[in-house]
């Protein structure tokens, strides 16, 4: 099947799933009680950074900035080099953060969860619209929180936050909420899919496949022959494979939830 056909199928299921609000009651109002445990147990991987080449910006970054009403010339662009290669929304794998989110790992994990789900990291592709997910969702009386009621895509993402907490924080989510079994089958589905896919959202993993880096473009104007010769090299290293680009955007559901 061609990549264009896969993209069309994923886009169809994303549109279908995002339009359907869930009617199961939330287990708790939000997942704020997970924040500190995640911060205490998921420490940053060592990284270094340097400024992106002057006059250039990744094309996806420029598109998002302009769409949100910002001047691309006001964006500071950095290269972040990880030792493991490694309010918000997710646009085709690009996570756009607004304000200070450094102390809220819930948001980072939630948005990364959209990439895992919608960019086909799991056996069931996409997980949020798969028969396996829906069958297990139907076995539970609750969803994790109010945010998870938005639709199945946001529900998978919030269950991913819980799964990450359960796998990394002593005592886990079951130690926080005595009624956690009311979302057991949803949690267990995400947990199983993650373990089968590899070391996802746990320390010690290594990035072996990812989206290609966005093509660098001039911050203003158009590229000339002279500037093209100075264009930054953003090719992936030889030991990292490229995954297909899947067209999706969670802005409406993610930002609506953060604004609530």
């Amino acid at each position: 099947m061609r990549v264009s056909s896969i993209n069309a199928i994923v886009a169809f299921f994303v549109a279908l799933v995002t339009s359907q609000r869930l009617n199961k009651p939330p287990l708790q109002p939000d997942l704020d009680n997970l924040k500190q445990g995640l911060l205490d147990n998921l420490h940053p991987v060592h990284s270094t950074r340097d400024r992106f080449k002057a006059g250039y910006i990744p094309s996806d970054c420029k598109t998002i900035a302009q769409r949100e009403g910002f001047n691309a010339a006001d964006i500071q662009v950095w290269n972040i080099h990880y030792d493991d290669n490694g309010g918000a929304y997710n646009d085709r794998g690009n996570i756009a953060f607004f304000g200070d989110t450094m102390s809220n790992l819930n948001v980072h994990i939630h948005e990364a969860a959209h990439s895992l789900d919608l960019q086909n990291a799991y056996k069931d592709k996409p997980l949020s619209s798969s028969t396996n997910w829906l069958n297990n969702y139907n076995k539970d009386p609750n969803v994790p929180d109010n945010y998870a009621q938005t639709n199945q895509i946001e529900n998978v993402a919030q269950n991913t936050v819980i799964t990450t907490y359960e796998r990394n924080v002593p005592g886990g989510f079951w130690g926080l909420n005595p009624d956690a079994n009311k979302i057991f089958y949803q949690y267990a589905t995400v947990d199983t899919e993650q373990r089968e896919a590899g070391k996802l959202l746990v320390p010690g993993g290594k990035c072996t496949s990812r989206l290609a880096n966005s093509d660098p473009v001039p911050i203003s104007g158009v590229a000339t022959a002279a500037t093209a010769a100075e264009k930054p090299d953003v090719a992936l290293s030889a030991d990292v494979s490229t995954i297909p680009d899947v067209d999706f955007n969670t802005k409406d559901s993610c930002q609506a939830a953060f604004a609530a």
Side-chain angles (χ1 to χ4, degrees):
M1 183 180 291
R2 298 191 316 177
V3 172
S4 58
S5 299
I6 295 173
N7 284 348
I9 292 170
V10 172
F12 169 78
F13 280 116
V14 169
L16 179 64
V17 172
T18 55
S19 67
Q20 298 175 340
R21 187 168 181 83
L22 310 183
N23 58 11
K24 292 188 178 185
L27 186 65
Q28 53 189 57
D30 53 49
L31 300 184
D32 286 357
N33 58 334
L34 278 64
K35 290 180 181 178
Q36 193 59 50
L38 289 169
L39 279 173
D40 291 343
N41 291 276
L42 289 177
H43 306 294
V45 173
H46 179 263
S47 63
T48 58
R49 67 177 183 173
D50 52 72
R51 290 296 295 267
F52 206 65
K53 192 173 183 65
Y56 278 90
I57 186 172
S59 59
D60 285 351
C61 183
K62 184 175 183 178
T63 297
I64 292 172
Q66 292 176 334
R67 184 175 62 212
E68 297 296 334
F70 296 104
N71 186 336
D74 294 331
I75 304 295
Q76 291 188 357
V77 185
W78 294 81
N79 297 306
I80 310 296
H81 309 278
Y82 291 99
D83 287 354
D84 66 348
N85 295 323
Y89 66 84
N90 193 314
D91 182 278
R92 297 171 43 246
N94 298 293
I95 300 176
F97 288 108
F98 298 83
D100 182 8
T101 62
M102 293 304 295
S103 62
N104 190 349
L105 280 183
N106 288 22
V107 177
H108 292 255
I109 295 167
H110 176 100
E111 297 303 332
H114 287 317
S115 293
L116 295 174
D117 173 20
L118 300 175
Q119 290 177 306
N120 302 323
Y122 298 132
K123 176 183 67 177
D124 293 296
K125 311 175 189 300
L127 177 59
S128 54
S129 58
S130 69
T131 300
N132 183 37
W133 170 257
L134 296 175
N135 285 344
N136 282 289
Y137 163 78
N138 288 331
K139 295 177 183 178
D140 287 331
N142 291 75
V143 294
D145 66 349
N146 294 330
Y147 194 177
Q149 288 182 308
T150 307
N151 54 49
Q152 290 292 8
I153 290 175
E154 302 302 340
N155 188 25
V156 165
Q158 288 298 80
N159 272 284
T160 303
V161 176
I162 288 173
T163 302
T164 305
Y165 189 94
E166 181 68 20
R167 295 182 69 183
N168 292 283
V169 179
F173 184 69
W174 266 248
L176 292 180
N177 193 314
D179 293 323
N181 277 339
K182 292 181 178 179
I183 60 165
F184 171 78
Y185 289 99
Q186 294 162 87
Y187 150 78
T189 303
V190 174
D191 181 68
T192 298
E193 297 265 348
Q194 284 196 359
R195 291 178 189 275
E196 290 179 350
K199 278 197 164 185
L200 302 181
L201 298 178
V202 292
K206 184 176 181 180
C207 179
T208 57
S209 60
R210 51 160 291 181
L211 289 170
N213 284 318
S214 178
D215 192 45
V217 296
I219 289 177
S220 59
V222 296
T224 64
T227 59
E230 301 173 353
K231 190 174 180 179
D233 180 8
V234 295
L236 301 180
S237 60
D239 59 344
V240 178
S241 61
T242 303
I243 63 174
D245 187 9
V246 177
D247 188 15
F248 70 92
N249 186 301
T250 67
K251 178 179 179 179
D252 290 342
S253 56
C254 283
Q255 290 203 314
F258 286 123

